[in-house]
Amino acid sequence: MRGWVTGAAGSAYDLDNLPYGVFSTPGTDPRVGVRIGDFVMEASAVAALGGDAGEGPHLAPVWAQAGLDEFLAMGRTVWDIAREWLVEVLGNDVHQPRVEPLLVPIDEVTMHRPFEVADYVDFYCSEQHATNVGRIFRPDGEALTPNWKHLPIGYHGRAGTVVVSGTDVRRPSGQRPESGGVPSYGPSRRLDIEAELGFVVGGATQLGEPVPTSAFTDHVFGVTPLNDWSARDIQAWEYVPLGPFLGKSFATSISPWVTPLAALTAARVELPGQDPEPLEYLRVQEPAGYDIDFEVVLNGEVVSRPPYAAMYWSPAQMLAHMTVNGASLRVGDLFASGTISGDERDQRGSLLELSWGGKEPFATPTTSGRTFLEDGDTVTLRATAPGALGGRIALGEVTGTVLPASQAGR
Amino acid sequence: MRGWVTGAAGSAYDLDNLPYGVFSTPGTDPRVGVRIGDFVMEASAVAALGGDAGEGPHLAPVWAQAGLDEFLAMGRTVWDIAREWLVEVLGNDVHQPRVEPLLVPIDEVTMHRPFEVADYVDFYCSEQHATNVGRIFRPDGEALTPNWKHLPIGYHGRAGTVVVSGTDVRRPSGQRPESGGVPSYGPSRRLDIEAELGFVVGGATQLGEPVPTSAFTDHVFGVTPLNDWSARDIQAWEYVPLGPFLGKSFATSISPWVTPLAALTAARVELPGQDPEPLEYLRVQEPAGYDIDFEVVLNGEVVSRPPYAAMYWSPAQMLAHMTVNGASLRVGDLFASGTISGDERDQRGSLLELSWGGKEPFATPTTSGRTFLEDGDTVTLRATAPGALGGRIALGEVTGTVLPASQAGR
C-alpha cells in the first residue's frame, strides 16, 4: 500500500512519516494537522467523517484543539491506534473521495508552535561536542569533566521562550566578559546555534516515580529538530557555577512538526559504545540510538552535516536520568539532546566548534571568514532518517533569522 | 480602621497583610481565598455579593478559579483595586453582616498550590551563602566566582515539581560521588533545605522586551516563602559544568499563601551596599531590599534565623537581569532569591552551611550532632515582616516532611 495522495509515494513525507503539527489557513483557527506529501491533512475533520476506518473518529475533538497537548496526554496506546488509522485513511484508495478535499496544500498554511512546552531540559550528549567545548572554554583543564561518561549531563532551560520555526531571533544583549575582568553591557558578539534533536513527552508521571529506560516509548511521543540559540560571550561569563542562563534563555526554536517515534523504527541503531558501562538504571537492552542525518544550513548553504548516530547517550537514558530522582513528567515536557557533533570538522553542530571559538574562521561555498552569526543570517536545520518503506523520511525543518539587537536599555 | 473580623486586629494576618491562596473545604472545589486573622474569606462569593464596595465584584469569576493565574494575569492596576476593595470589605463594619458568613475558619480548609508555575528560576543572591558554599564546595578556589558581584547568578529549575506546603518530600536517589571517582547509585546521604523567598510574576511580557528595575512592581504580584530542597551529594557530582539538575529537581516547596508586594511597603529597606556599582541596567533608585525575618524550624525547633535584609541582590535586579536578554515573562513565572544566609552561624539558611558540609554538626535545644536531613524530619520555614499598621505581618509557612527513599529502580 503506497497511498493515494498525489506526490506522496516515495517522497520524504510518505506513509512511513506522518508527522503531526498545528496549522491554520487565513481566517481559520489553529488545529492539528498531519503532513502527507506536500499537503496537510485536516486531522479533526477527517476523523469526524466517521465510517469504518477504526478508532480515528474518537479523536476528532482532540485534533480540533490548537495544540497537540490533549493528544499527547492520551499515551502510547492511542498514539499507535491513531497512526494505524492514518495509514488506512491515507493509504487505502477507498477513502480518497472523502478525504482528498480535506488536504490543504502545504504552501497555503501557517504553522504554529505544536504544543505548550511544560519543562524544557537540555542535555549534553555528544562526546565530540562536549570535548570540543571543553577544549575551547577550559583550555587548561580536562576536556570532559569527570562525571561526563557516568551520566547524561543536563540542565533546565526556559520553556517560555521556546518558539516555532520561522520566528525571528533578536540578538540578545547582556553582560559580556572583557579582558580587565569588568564586564561590559551590549549585544552579544558571539551569537551561535546548536543543532539538536528534541524529544516530546506525552505520558505524564507522578512525583516520586522514576521512568526506566525500558519505558521510553511509553512516555515519549516523538521528536522535533531544535536550535538552541546561544550567546557564547554571555554564557562564558555567567555559567560558573550554576550553568547557562541568559546565554540560552532568549530563544530556542523547534520545528512545527513532531515526528512520531513510530516513524523512526527503521532508524534505530546501536549506540557508538559506552565505556565505562553505566550504572544499572542507565542501561539499555536494545538499539537505543537513532540514525538521523542533520544539515546545518547558513543562508542557504550547507555548512555542516552532524550525524545523530554518533551521540554517546541515548534519549532513553536521558529520560531515565531526568526522572531517577523522582522528578515527575508533564504532558509537553521537552528534552533535547544537546549539540550534535561528529568526528569531522564538517560534522560540528555549532559555530563555536566550526570556528573553534572564533579563532579558525570557516568558509561556505560562497563566503569565507565566517565565525559567529551576523545580523540578517538565516539558519535552517534539516534532518532525515531511514523510513520503513525503504526511502528516507524528513523531519520538519527549523529555521530562524537573526534580527539586530534591540536598543532598549541603552 | 482596624476591621471587624474577630481576632484579626493586631494579629499577623491583619488588614495590612491579606495574602491570597487557593483553598477548598470537604466536598467543594478549590477557589481563591484571602486570609484574614484565622479565617479564609471566600473571595469570589464575597465579590458576587455586589453592592457599593467598589470594583471587587468584577473579580467574582476570576476568584472562582482553582488558581490565582487569571488574577495574576490582570496586572498591577487590578491588583491594587482588589486590595483597596478587600480593605473596605474587611475593614468597614457595614459589610460585616453579609461577609462574616463567608469566612471559613482556617482549620477547616485544605490549601492547594496557589498557581500553575510557568518557568521557575532560582537565584543565588546572598553573599554570605555564596561565600559559604564556595568555601565548602571549592575549598581550593576563590569563594566567590569573578562574576558574582557583577550579576545576580541564576539558573532555571523544574517548574513541574514545585509543590505546595505540606506535600511530603521523598528522599531522592541518584548518582553519588565516591572516593574512587566512580559514582554509586542510591538514596541521597546529604539531603538539605534552602530557605528562600519566591517572587510570583503576574504581568506577562513579549519576547524581546526587557523589564527595567523600575518596572518591578508592574510585573511581580507578590512573594511566597520557598524551600528549595537539595541533595548535596547528587548536586556536587553533577553540577560541573552545566549547573544543578537532579540535585534540586525532585521537589521545591512553596507556601500556599502569596503575600502581595503591597503588603510589604513598610518592609522596604536599602540594600546592604553593592561594590562595584552594577551596570546601568541593574541599578535601583529606591530602597530595593526587604526586611523579612525568616525562621528555619526543624522538628518544631528553630535552628536558624536568616535575615532577608542581608541579601546582596534585590528582586528588582533579579527581574531586570532575567529579562535583559529579551526573555519574556509569563503569568505564573516564579523566581526565588537563593538561600538566605546572614553573617552569623545561626543565620544560615541551609544545613550544608549550618553543619559546614557535614563536618561541624550542630545542635538544637533538644538534639545534637545534626548535619543533613533524616527520614521523618519535618522542616518549616516561617517569615514575618513589618506591616503598615505597626505590627508584623506573617508570610505563609512552608513545610514538608522527609519520606524514606523509594525502592524503585533497585
Side-chain angles (χ1 to χ4, degrees), chain A residues 119 147 150 154 156 158-160 173 175 183 237 239-243 245-246 249-250 281 321 324-325 328 330 333, chain B residues 119 147 150 154-156 158-160 173 175 183 237 239-243 245-246 249-250 281 321 324-325 328 330 333:
Chain A
D119 270 301
N147 52 11
H150 294 280
H156 286 90
R158 192 164 185 84
S173 291
Q175 293 198 18
W237 171 239
Y239 90 106
V240 177
L242 300 186
F245 183 41
L246 299 184
S249 65
F250 57 96
Y281 80 92
H321 186 62
V324 70
N325 67 346
S328 46
R330 288 184 295 170
D333 278 352
Chain B
D119 271 301
N147 53 10
H150 294 282
Y155 67 100
H156 286 89
R158 191 164 186 83
S173 291
Q175 293 198 19
W237 172 239
Y239 89 105
V240 177
L242 300 186
F245 184 40
L246 299 184
S249 66
F250 56 97
Y281 80 91
H321 186 63
V324 70
N325 67 346
S328 46
R330 289 184 294 170
D333 278 351

Side-chain angles (χ1 to χ4, degrees), chain A residues 381-394:
Chain A
L381 305 181
R382 298 196 294 236
T384 64
L389 296 173
R392 291 190 78 81
I393 63 171

Side-chain angles (χ1 to χ4, degrees), chain A residues 138-409:
Chain A
R138 296 177 293 277
D140 302 327
E142 288 289 319
L144 290 185
T145 49
N147 52 11
W148 201 91
K149 292 209 167 178
H150 294 280
L151 53 81
I153 292 176
Y155 66 100
H156 286 90
R158 192 164 185 84
T161 52
V162 175
V163 298
V164 71
S165 176
T167 305
D168 291 334
V169 173
R170 190 165 291 285
R171 180 181 298 274
S173 291
Q175 293 198 18
R176 307 164 305 187
E178 301 290 351
S179 54
V182 176
S184 65
Y185 169 91
S188 171
R189 299 164 177 141
R190 292 162 75 92
L191 185 59
D192 198 358
I193 56 125
E194 295 199 325
E196 306 196 13
L197 187 62
F199 297 87
V200 180
V201 171
T205 62
Q206 296 297 311
L207 196 61
E209 197 180 274
V211 178
T213 57
S214 58
F216 171 64
T217 58
D218 293 339
H219 295 280
V220 171
F221 170 72
V223 303
T224 178
L226 180 149
N227 184 348
D228 183 35
W229 304 89
S230 300
R232 299 301 182 187
D233 41 1
I234 295 172
Q235 180 186 351
W237 171 239
E238 75 181 357
Y239 90 106
V240 177
L242 300 186
F245 183 41
L246 299 184
K248 304 277 195 173
S249 65
F250 57 96
T252 305
S253 298
I254 58 173
S255 168
W257 295 107
V258 182
T259 301
L261 280 190
L264 293 171
T265 304
R268 292 177 64 172
V269 290
E270 297 288 345
L271 298 176
Q274 298 187 323
D275 181 23
E277 183 180 40
L279 284 166
E280 189 178 332
Y281 80 92
L282 287 173
R283 291 182 199 157
V284 284
Q285 300 297 331
E286 48 200 4
Y290 286 93
D291 176 23
I292 301 172
D293 289 343
F294 274 69
E295 287 181 337
V296 178
V297 184
L298 176 62
N299 299 326
E301 299 182 316
V302 176
V303 296
S304 175
R305 291 187 167 83
Y308 194 81
M311 300 298 273
Y312 189 91
W313 293 104
S314 68
Q317 293 172 314
M318 298 179 215
L319 184 67
H321 186 62
M322 185 164 72
T323 60
V324 70
N325 67 346
S328 46
L329 299 175
R330 288 184 295 170
V331 169
D333 278 352
L334 172 68
F335 63 95
S337 61
T339 307
I340 308 158
S341 289
D343 292 327
E344 307 302 324
R345 179 169 177 174
D346 64 0
Q347 295 181 322
R348 296 174 185 163
S350 69
L351 303 186
L352 177 77
E353 294 163 88
L354 282 167
S355 72
W356 207 254
K359 292 180 186 159
E360 300 176 11
F362 64 96
T364 73
T366 66
T367 67
S368 62
R370 291 300 312 239
T371 55
F372 294 98
L373 291 173
E374 297 167 11
D375 292 345
D377 277 347
T378 295
V379 177
T380 304
L381 305 181
R382 298 196 294 236
T384 64
L389 296 173
R392 291 190 78 81
I393 63 171
L395 279 59
E397 290 185 359
V398 55
T399 192
T401 296
V402 177
L403 299 183
S406 159
Q407 297 305 304

Side-chain angles (χ1 to χ4, degrees), chain B residues 133-292:
Chain B
V133 171
R135 286 185 181 144
I136 294 166
F137 271 27
R138 297 176 294 276
D140 302 327
E142 289 289 319
L144 290 184
T145 49
N147 53 10
W148 201 91
K149 292 208 167 180
H150 294 282
L151 52 82
I153 292 177
Y155 67 100
H156 286 89
R158 191 164 186 83
T161 53
V162 175
V163 298
V164 71
S165 176
T167 306
D168 291 334
V169 173
R170 192 166 289 287
R171 181 182 298 273
S173 291
Q175 293 198 19
R176 307 165 303 188
E178 301 289 352
S179 53
V182 175
S184 64
Y185 170 90
S188 170
R189 299 163 178 142
R190 292 162 75 92
L191 185 60
D192 197 358
I193 57 124
E194 295 198 326
E196 306 196 13
L197 187 63
F199 297 87
V200 180
V201 171
T205 62
Q206 296 297 310
L207 196 61
E209 197 179 274
V211 177
T213 56
S214 59
F216 171 65
T217 58
D218 293 340
H219 295 280
V220 172
F221 170 71
V223 304
T224 178
L226 181 149
N227 184 348
D228 183 34
W229 305 88
S230 299
R232 300 300 181 186
D233 41 1
I234 295 172
Q235 180 186 352
W237 172 239
E238 74 181 358
Y239 89 105
V240 177
L242 300 186
F245 184 40
L246 299 184
K248 304 277 196 172
S249 66
F250 56 97
T252 305
S253 299
I254 58 173
S255 167
W257 295 107
V258 182
T259 301
L261 280 190
L264 293 171
T265 304
R268 292 178 64 172
V269 289
E270 297 288 344
L271 298 176
Q274 299 187 323
D275 181 21
E277 184 179 41
L279 284 165
E280 189 178 329
Y281 80 91
L282 287 173
R283 291 184 199 155
V284 285
Q285 301 297 332
E286 49 201 5
Y290 287 93
D291 176 23
I292 302 172

Side-chain angles (χ1 to χ4, degrees), chain A residues 115-145:
Chain A
F115 59 98
E116 174 90 8
V117 179
D119 270 301
Y120 166 47
V121 169
D122 194 24
F123 283 93
Y124 193 53
C125 290
S126 161
E127 182 176 0
Q128 293 87 337
H129 170 69
T131 303
N132 290 338
V133 171
R135 284 184 182 144
I136 294 166
F137 271 29
R138 296 177 293 277
D140 302 327
E142 288 289 319
L144 290 185
T145 49

